[in-house]
Amino acid sequence: MELAYYSDYAVRLVNTEEPARSKDALTSVEAVRELFGANQQAARRTTDADVTRFRSVRARLRAVFDAADGGDETLAVDLLNSLLLEFPVSPQISGHDVRDEDGRPDWHMHLADHPSNATAGYAAIAAMGLAFHLTEHGVDRLGLCEASPCRNAYLDTSTNRSRRYCSDRCATRANVAAYRARKREEAERTGRSAETAQPTTAVTDR
């Protein structure tokens, strides 16, 4: 499993909340376990206490995206470094059951789960994955969706650093809203022009 894969852990956790809509999907042990995906061994360690702890880590990860989206690279790095210090990772070389053409293990770097609790394990993986993405691709590759009121986090992997939305759905919604706004503005300009061009009738005394 490549380190780049782990950056998605951070995105998944941040996007369990939609602050502008006052929505929070992280309300139960089951919701926390779903974040682990196929890593069922780590998910089974989740307890009720992890729900609150996960929310705390989520707020700190969103702050990293907020700083990056706002152009404050130093703050984004400082916030991420604080997470890395608090939740250290245990890198391991792993081959699992994957074999190459010669039948040998396909060795790759793997981040081992933290043994203390589910939150520590997830936070360590999410922070390390995000750090890898940041140092490999740049702070400006961490973004927040521009489609109001979404503000979901995303990782920009476009070739020209042009991504602005978290999904095609948000991009379409934003484009439709912009189109309608332009049409309204054009209609208003046309109306004002018509009023200005309206001939005035002179009143004469008889």
Side-chain angles (χ1 to χ4, degrees), residues 4 11 25 28 39 42-43 70-72 101 130-131 136-137 139 149-150 154 159 167 169 179 188 193 197 201-202 206:
V11 174
S28 66
N39 194 344
D72 195 337
E101 294 179 354
L130 199 57
E136 184 74 9
H137 304 290
V139 177
C150 178
Y154 65 83
T159 55
S167 64
R169 179 181 178 183
Y179 172 79
E188 290 173 359
S193 297
T201 302
R206 291 181 181 273

Side-chain angles (χ1 to χ4, degrees), residues 9 12-13 16 26 30-38 54 122:
Y9 273 56
R12 289 206 303 267
L13 177 54
T16 58
L26 205 58
E30 289 70 24
V32 172
R33 287 174 177 164
E34 288 179 4
L35 289 170
F36 285 95
F54 260 71
Y122 194 99

